[in-house]
């Protein structure tokens, strides 16, 4: 049964779920595939509509899995996909998009991101993205792994409709709070936090486990709840298991209170000065 969830407003005014679902490594293991498919479908059933993927994930296997999960219910999902920097020329980005659309079994990607900065000029990439938008193949465009200086350049190159910057952000990786996050906030561009569980390493963190136990919550709920407490952060944890999906959903159903948020801020402080943007 779908429930109403916290939403985040994109610069276009469109609203998307604050809690999405990542798909890196999904579709790679034949033994896990059926459960992953059911997890994707359960996410939609439970109102988690934003699904993040990339042509890179399993060289298309994650997109194909999503395409299968969305048969007959494409309109329930907001699909985010990404193209490689070596597919960022005006011609290549259109070809990459066509391949992704085919695997996703759809006629449009809701939000299409440059996965990281490569050799192609932003002007050229943007001309390809604008062609795709005009053709109705993508609805919005954005970027990933760009620091504030790169964002300045992207916008100056004509990318002022950029919908998000998807970057590494979690309790143990707070470097973006110095420069990138304020830059995005000043322009009302939401950040999309990837690896919010630090690829499950945060779940084994002793400090987080102890804190979670004291509050009767799980470590995953705390890690996700801390990000979801911000009003301009979209959070995309990956799980291919229905039990973990339900657990992660509790982070949004039962928001963390101010005392717990303050404690997490002390346990996992932001760095003392600016840091280069980290990537995983
Ligand atoms: P993550 O979401 O921080 O962690 C995923 C790992 O945590 C998986 O091993 C998952 O295993 C496990 N997990 C999830 N929920 C759990 C729970 N409640 N209890 C126990 N284990 C749990 O890492 P991520 O996959 O790197 O990041 C999330 C998404 O962000 C990716 O899938 C991808 O869509 C995107 N991403 C983007 C970039 C980029 O460069 N733009 C880079 C990295 C990631 P199970 O599946 O077994 O539950």
């Amino acid at each position: 049964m779908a429930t109403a969830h916290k939403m985040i407003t994109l610069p276009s005014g469109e609203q998307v779920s604050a809690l999405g679902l990542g798909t890196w490594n999904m579709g790679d293991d034949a033994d896990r595939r059926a459960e992953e498919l059911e997890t994707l479908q359960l996410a939609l059933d439970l109102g988690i509509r934003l699904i993040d993927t990339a042509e890179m994930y399993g060289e298309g296997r994650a997109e194909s899995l999503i395409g299968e999960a969305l048969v007959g219910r494409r309109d329930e999902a907001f699909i985010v996909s990404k193209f490689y920097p070596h597919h960022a020329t005006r011609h290549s980005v259109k070809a990459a998009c066509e391949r992704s659309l085919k695997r996703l079994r759809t006629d449009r990607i809701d939000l299409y991101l440059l996965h990281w900065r490569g050799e192609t000029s932003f002007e050229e990439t943007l001309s390809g993205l604008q062609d795709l938008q005009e053709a109705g193949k993508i609805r919005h465009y954005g970027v990933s792994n760009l620091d504030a200086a790169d964002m300045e350049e992207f916008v100056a190159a004509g990318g002022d409709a950029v919908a998000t910057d998807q970057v590494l952000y979690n309790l143990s990786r707070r470097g973006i709070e110095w420069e990138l996050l304020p830059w995005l906030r000043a322009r009302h561009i939401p950040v999309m936090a990837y690896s919010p569980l630090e690829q499950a390493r945060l779940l084994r963190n002793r400090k987080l486990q102890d804190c979670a136990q004291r509050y009767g919550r799980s470590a995953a709920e705390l890690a996700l709840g801390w990000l979801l407490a911000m009003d301009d952060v979209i959070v995309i944890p990956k799980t291919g298991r229905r039990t973990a999906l339900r657990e992660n959903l509790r982070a949004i159903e039962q928001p963390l209170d101010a005392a717990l948020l303050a404690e997490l801020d002390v346990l996992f402080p932001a760095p003392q000065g600016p840091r280069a943007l980290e990537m995983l």
Side-chain angles (χ1 to χ4, degrees):
M1 180 68 158
T3 43
H5 293 306
K6 178 180 172 178
M7 305 294 277
I8 301 288
T9 306
L10 298 178
S12 63
E14 183 164 339
Q15 293 203 311
V16 295
S17 327
L19 182 66
L21 182 65
T23 63
W24 194 8
N25 298 321
M26 274 205 216
D28 288 350
D29 180 345
D31 293 339
R32 296 192 65 173
R33 203 171 189 281
E35 172 71 7
E36 289 168 347
L37 205 52
E38 289 187 28
T39 305
L40 279 160
Q41 288 167 336
L42 179 65
L44 295 179
D45 293 343
L46 297 174
I48 299 174
R49 307 199 183 289
L50 187 145
I51 300 173
D52 180 75
T53 192
E55 61 170 336
M56 185 184 98
Y57 300 165
E59 292 303 325
R61 282 191 295 274
E63 288 182 328
S64 297
L65 184 79
I66 294 166
E68 196 174 329
L70 293 184
V71 169
R73 55 191 311 190
R74 166 66 184 91
D75 292 347
E76 292 175 51
F78 184 95
I79 301 177
V80 183
S81 194
K82 312 180 205 82
F83 54 96
Y84 278 118
H86 59 264
H87 290 158
T89 62
R90 186 172 189 171
H91 172 74
S92 293
V93 72
K94 290 190 265 185
C97 184
E98 290 295 346
R99 291 191 295 270
S100 287
L101 289 170
K102 199 165 174 201
R103 287 188 291 261
L104 289 161
R105 305 191 199 184
T106 184
D107 58 354
R108 71 213 181 268
I109 290 169
D110 296 289
L111 174 55
Y112 201 34
L113 311 180
L114 170 64
H115 208 147
W116 63 89
R117 187 173 190 171
E119 303 293 314
T120 310
S121 73
F122 288 149
E123 283 85 355
E124 166 141 14
T125 302
L126 279 160
S127 64
L129 290 170
Q130 279 147 7
D131 289 347
L132 284 168
Q133 248 180 336
E134 277 162 30
K137 310 254 179 189
I138 66 169
R139 296 182 51 244
H140 308 279
Y141 65 78
V143 294
S144 177
N145 295 303
L146 295 200
D147 215 339
D150 292 324
M151 289 302 293
E152 283 284 357
E153 267 187 65
F154 191 82
V155 169
D160 45 311
V162 60
T164 193
D165 187 11
Q166 183 181 113
V167 292
L168 176 62
Y169 188 32
N170 65 47
L171 275 172
S172 63
R173 309 267 196 170
R174 297 182 57 182
I176 68 163
E177 290 175 24
W178 275 89
E179 198 183 358
L180 181 61
L181 195 55
W183 190 96
L184 293 167
R185 283 191 169 145
R187 290 158 186 82
H188 307 289
I189 301 168
V191 69
M192 198 177 290
Y194 76 66
S195 306
L197 304 171
E198 186 65 16
Q199 297 184 330
R201 287 183 290 277
L202 263 174
L203 307 178
R204 299 187 289 272
N205 180 291
R206 195 56 195 265
K207 284 186 295 183
L208 191 62
Q209 286 177 343
D210 289 349
C211 183
Q213 199 172 21
R214 271 186 283 113
Y215 282 85
R217 307 284 301 258
S218 73
E221 285 173 60
L222 263 52
L224 300 175
W226 177 78
L227 287 164
L228 289 163
M230 289 174 257
D231 59 12
D232 49 7
V233 179
I234 300 163
V235 189
I236 50 168
K238 175 265 172 181
T239 180
R241 295 176 300 123
R242 285 168 294 174
T243 49
L245 183 79
R246 288 187 187 278
E247 177 185 348
N248 295 347
L249 192 60
R250 284 202 293 276
I252 209 157
E253 288 169 344
Q254 298 167 33
L256 309 191
D257 65 26
L260 178 45
L261 290 170
E263 199 167 324
L264 290 172
D265 191 48
V266 174
L267 288 174
F268 297 91
Q272 299 286 306
R275 293 272 168 93
L277 183 64
E278 298 172 292
M279 280 176 74
L280 281 181

